[in-house]
Amino acid sequence: MPIKDVESIIRTQEILSFELDNGERCEAFPVQVEEDGVIYIFADCLQKEMHMNPEDTTKGGYKESFMRKYLNTEVLGHFPEKLRKNMVPINAWGDLLTIPSKAEIFGDEDGKGQWPAMGLRRNRIAFQGLNGDWEWYWLRDVVSAAYFATVFSDGRASYNGASGGLGIRPAFKIRNL
């Protein structure tokens, strides 16, 4: 899976198709070119819904959440080795998998930070697995003591209690080769 011309990958929205070792088929598309690699986001959510935390608390934010631990152990453990060995940390915590922030999906108050592909509402909409129904999914931003930001099934911003079961739409970075 050599990545030679990362700018053309973004322009053409080259899709990565792969299968997790649990049999789940996945697709991801590029959303951002950075100095050390290309950030991809899953086109749809994983088949299994999950809570951000078992209790309705945002204490410790995403950094201390059950979701972050689940992504970087359980979910990452199912990734194909060929893909995993080309991944680089996507955040300052050294994670290989994350979920997007509200700014990456919708932009911040100044309209900055949005991944260009997310300017299209269709790219903000995700399904449960490749063939499931429209899905709400988690974002890593804290909204209140009990709520994290989410994306509603029709692509609008929303929020949900941390213990609710919602979709997971992972993002990861592939190193420049």
Side-chain angles (χ1 to χ4, degrees):
M1 177 179 23
I3 298 174
K4 295 178 180 144
D5 182 1
V6 291
E7 292 296 339
S8 72
I9 289 169
I10 296 294
R11 281 193 306 275
T12 61
Q13 290 288 292
E14 183 176 308
I15 302 289
L16 290 178
S17 295
F18 55 96
E19 189 171 312
L20 302 179
D21 72 4
N22 63 5
E24 185 170 351
R25 293 185 40 227
C26 303
E27 293 180 342
F29 63 90
V31 291
Q32 178 93 10
V33 175
E34 296 187 342
E35 190 174 304
D36 62 341
V38 178
I39 296 177
Y40 283 82
I41 189 168
F42 275 42
D44 292 304
C45 296
L46 294 170
Q47 290 175 356
K48 182 178 180 180
E49 293 179 332
M50 185 58 64
H51 51 262
M52 185 67 78
N53 283 316
E55 305 292 326
D56 272 336
T57 180
T58 60
K59 185 179 179 190
Y62 175 75
K63 183 178 179 185
E64 300 298 323
S65 70
F66 171 85
M67 176 67 68
R68 178 174 173 242
K69 293 174 188 114
Y70 175 75
L71 276 172
N72 286 284
T73 56
E74 175 97 12
V75 175
L76 184 62
H78 291 297
F79 265 61
E81 180 63 29
K82 183 178 179 181
L83 184 57
R84 230 182 13 239
K85 70 182 188 181
N86 285 303
M87 294 167 71
V88 294
I90 191 166
N91 57 33
W93 307 315
D95 296 339
L96 294 180
L97 289 177
T98 193
I99 54 175
S101 70
K102 188 174 178 184
E104 291 163 342
I105 300 296
F106 299 104
D108 62 16
E109 298 80 34
D110 299 324
K112 297 179 182 172
Q114 184 181 42
W115 290 329
M118 293 303 158
L120 295 174
R121 183 171 161 231
R122 171 56 190 105
N123 288 338
R124 294 190 306 266
I125 295 171
F127 296 86
Q128 186 177 14
L130 288 178
N131 299 309
D133 291 330
W134 290 23
E135 179 73 283
W136 287 49
Y137 59 93
W138 290 111
L139 299 175
R140 62 180 186 261
D141 304 80
V142 169
V143 174
S144 72
Y147 290 82
F148 278 90
T150 63
V151 178
F152 191 67
S153 60
D154 67 1
R156 291 180 291 133
S158 191
Y159 55 90
N160 203 71
S163 67
L166 298 180
I168 307 167
R169 193 174 183 189
F172 58 93
K173 191 186 302 186
I174 300 293
R175 67 183 165 94
N176 291 330
L177 301 177

